Amino acid sequence: PKIDFRTAFKEILSNHKLNILNIIAMLKTMVQSSCFILLPFLWKNMGHRPIYIGTALFMFIFAGGIASLASGFVEKRIGAKNVFYISMISTLPLMVLFILTYQKFSILSLVIFVITGFVTMMATPVTMVMAQRVLPEYKSIIAGFINGFSWGVIAIVMSALGFVAENFGITKVLLLVAIIPAVCSILIKELFKD
């Protein structure tokens, strides 16, 4: 059937549950983007070669891909709510551990970085499926919101985060970026209240 995009956008943007899922998608995208964009500068300043940086980013993304594949299995075992909690809250202690180890224990910090990629992306498919179930008649548009819109908004935010990183340090920005999803995990309770 023909879709009226004005009506579709109005329904999507006014849906409380979809707004929460969009915020969650944005926060997770912010963590991923910060790791992709800022950490290479940190490693370069430490004297790491491009092959190390490229391998680290590959492992982060690969671990996230494995997490996306495993998320359905994990969701069946522990429930979608717990997948969201693990994915949002664990980024904070993992980032703290990374910041404490990246200078003296580079291999350990790399392992922590890869685990961060895994848990950060674990809830991505769960977010998408849940969003599409809210308004199943707009599945493709909702997919665009969860994927495209969240990345677009965070692309704008990254300019500001880059400015803050330049003036206050990359590790402080990474810590801030990890704190926000942990604090906003309170939204999960609202998401599953019914």
Side-chain angles (χ1 to χ4, degrees), residues 6-26:
R6 185 180 292 180
T7 305
F9 275 65
K10 190 176 179 182
E11 285 186 42
I12 290 167
L13 292 171
S14 62
N15 189 291
H16 183 61
K17 201 172 238 186
L18 279 176
N19 286 333
I20 292 172
L21 288 165
N22 247 329
I23 290 167
I24 289 170
M26 285 180 204

Side-chain angles (χ1 to χ4, degrees), residues 126-192:
V126 181
T127 308
M128 179 66 74
V129 170
M130 188 176 284
Q132 290 178 326
R133 283 180 185 159
V134 175
L135 291 172
E137 64 271 31
Y138 303 128
K139 276 186 179 180
S140 57
I141 299 172
I142 287 169
F145 265 89
I146 296 295
N147 280 336
F149 183 72
S150 63
W151 280 95
V153 169
I154 296 307
I156 297 166
V157 172
M158 283 309 300
S159 300
L161 288 177
F163 175 79
V164 174
E166 195 173 3
N167 289 282
F168 297 99
I170 290 171
T171 54
K172 287 176 182 165
V173 171
L174 291 172
L175 190 59
L176 173 68
V177 161
I179 288 170
I180 295 169
V183 171
C184 291
S185 63
I186 194 166
L187 292 171
I188 299 166
K189 191 176 180 181
E190 183 73 15
L191 190 64
F192 288 92

Side-chain angles (χ1 to χ4, degrees), residues 78-100:
I78 65 173
K81 189 178 192 178
N82 289 324
V83 170
F84 278 114
Y85 275 125
I86 290 168
S87 190
M88 291 186 76
I89 294 172
S90 63
T91 52
L92 178 57
L94 285 167
M95 194 60 77
V96 169
L97 283 172
F98 176 83
I99 290 168
L100 291 173

